[in-house]
Amino acid sequence: MADKSVDCKGLSCPMPIVRTKKAIEEIEPGQVLEVVATDPGSVSDIKSWAERTGHQFVGTIKEEGVFKHYIRKSDPSELKPEKRYPHVVSNEELLQRLTDNPVIVDVREPAEYAFGHIPGAISVPFGKLEETIGELKKFADQEIHVVCRTGTRSDIACQILSEKGFPNVKNVVPGMSEWTGPVEKRS
Amino acid sequence: MARRVAIIASNGGLETAYKVLNIATAAAATEAEVAIFFTFEALAIIHKDAANMLTMGAGKEHYMEGFKRANVPSIPELVEIAKESGVKLIACQMTMDVTGMKKEDFIDGVEVGGAVTFLDFAYDADVTVTF
């Protein structure tokens, strides 16, 4: 569920933060880092650190005294998309359509998807979109709702899909960051 | 511009060394510019012989066992991490004159400066801490 994992088991403050900082420099923007720690202080430290440095804190899983923190390295380009995909639906509109079992493609990273997604949404991480496109062909004649966290990755995903012959693609804005509808989680 | 953290360390002992270096390395990992001004007893923290000069004060020996259990890095290791993360280490010129310490007594990468050298950094600091 992560692109890189850093082992901080048995280490106390400030080492988990120091190691996290080092490890995030070694991954690409958009990739997810897993930090495995036993220090209970790391729970709030890692979250604050991510918010302070502008990376996305995805979530923490606690398993038998071990904390697994997930952080997605942010991409500076996320802040200023150059070209906007024109066909959008709002979170509210999608929420109203949920009863009709719409096709929803979630292009966030697997870790983000695991920590909460719209029930029935198909996970297609943005980086794997082009190689997965064949599997989506069966939905080509239906309306496809593409969702990410803020509407930026899904914007680009919509552009790619419409270029590859999907005529009826909609970007969900703003996306999961403000989703108030039902959510399914990794158990 | 990055946030700035200005730290004054003026006490010796292992506890002060840990307090100073934990804050400094955490701040540096959070992409802050960090400078530490070492004065009086705190010069021991950046001394080449820190391992022998820094001790846990009388009555506080019980901490040592905890340090071992919690796998806390040694002071020289933490100083090395601080240096690698770009923390500026400034030794107080006046204390050096008073105690007869020389720049060569300190680990590599330490700058020597007076109060103004530190203040010049601290005037634009967002956070100032004293130990």
Side-chain angles (χ1 to χ4, degrees):
Chain A
M1 150 157 146
D3 298 284
K4 184 183 173 72
S5 182
V6 54
D7 184 1
C8 300
K9 287 201 288 289
L11 297 178
S12 62
C13 171
M15 295 317 291
I17 289 293
V18 170
R19 294 256 175 108
T20 301
K21 153 89 173 157
K22 210 168 221 165
I24 206 105
E25 284 168 2
E26 291 162 6
I27 62 172
E28 299 298 320
Q31 291 189 324
V32 170
L33 175 70
E34 176 187 68
V35 180
V36 184
T38 45
D39 171 24
S42 68
V43 175
S44 58
D45 271 12
I46 298 274
K47 188 164 185 284
S48 306
W49 176 84
E51 280 160 12
R52 177 59 65 184
T53 52
H55 299 296
Q56 180 196 344
F57 177 75
V58 179
T60 295
I61 293 176
K62 191 179 175 197
E63 280 171 356
E64 292 159 15
V66 175
F67 301 99
K68 291 180 175 175
H69 309 292
Y70 296 90
I71 304 149
R72 183 175 154 269
K73 182 170 182 169
S74 61
D75 184 344
S77 73
E78 277 176 34
L79 304 171
K80 40 175 172 42
E82 284 172 9
K83 192 169 70 173
R84 280 265 175 210
Y85 181 76
H87 307 292
V88 298
V89 294
S90 67
N91 280 13
E92 290 72 28
E93 285 172 278
L94 178 60
L95 185 55
Q96 282 165 15
R97 292 180 199 175
L98 270 195
T99 44
D100 304 331
N101 292 320
V103 179
I104 302 169
V105 172
D106 188 325
V107 294
R108 296 173 302 160
E109 291 301 306
E112 298 175 85
Y113 180 86
F115 276 96
H117 56 265
I118 302 171
I122 307 160
S123 174
V124 180
F126 180 73
K128 299 221 163 76
L129 179 63
E130 306 229 11
E131 61 188 79
T132 318
I133 227 155
E135 293 168 33
L136 296 175
K137 282 282 181 207
K138 58 176 180 275
F139 302 117
D141 56 344
Q142 295 180 54
E143 196 166 35
I144 299 177
H145 304 79
V146 186
V147 66
C148 69
R149 183 169 64 108
T150 60
T152 307
R153 276 173 282 171
S154 53
D155 181 292
I156 305 165
C158 285
Q159 294 179 34
I160 294 170
L161 284 169
S162 75
E163 278 165 24
K164 302 275 180 185
F166 291 80
N168 201 357
V169 184
K170 294 264 162 65
N171 185 20
V172 182
V173 287
M176 296 310 291
S177 58
E178 289 177 37
W179 179 252
T180 53
V183 164
E184 212 167 69
K185 281 188 183 132
R186 170 189 185 277
S187 54
Chain B
M1 204 177 80
R3 296 232 176 219
R4 273 195 175 190
V5 179
I7 302 173
I8 299 176
S10 60
N11 290 296
L14 260 187
E15 312 126 77
T16 305
Y18 276 114
K19 293 173 197 171
V20 169
L21 292 168
N22 276 18
I23 293 287
T25 49
T30 313
E31 288 166 11
E33 288 177 28
V34 187
I36 313 171
F37 187 60
F38 294 92
T39 181
F40 282 78
E41 276 79 12
L43 280 178
I45 299 170
I46 45 171
H47 199 280
K48 277 181 178 154
D49 195 26
N52 293 318
M53 294 169 77
L54 297 168
T55 51
M56 198 53 95
K60 292 179 181 166
E61 294 85 356
H62 62 283
Y63 275 115
M64 292 316 292
E65 201 183 308
F67 271 88
K68 203 167 223 169
R69 198 176 52 234
N71 202 9
V72 174
S74 72
I75 290 300
E77 281 171 322
L78 274 177
V79 170
E80 204 45 46
I81 292 169
K83 263 171 55 182
E84 278 172 20
S85 6
V87 173
K88 216 168 145 141
L89 309 170
I90 309 166
C92 170
Q93 178 72 68
M94 184 273 281
T95 316
M96 288 167 62
D97 294 345
V98 170
T99 59
M101 286 184 184
K102 300 267 173 296
K103 193 172 184 218
E104 304 79 68
D105 297 329
F106 302 125
I107 55 158
D108 290 341
V110 167
E111 274 177 53
V112 173
V116 174
T117 311
F118 174 74
L119 285 171
D120 188 38
F121 181 90
Y123 281 135
D124 297 317
D126 301 283
V127 177
T128 309
V129 214
T130 313
F131 291 93

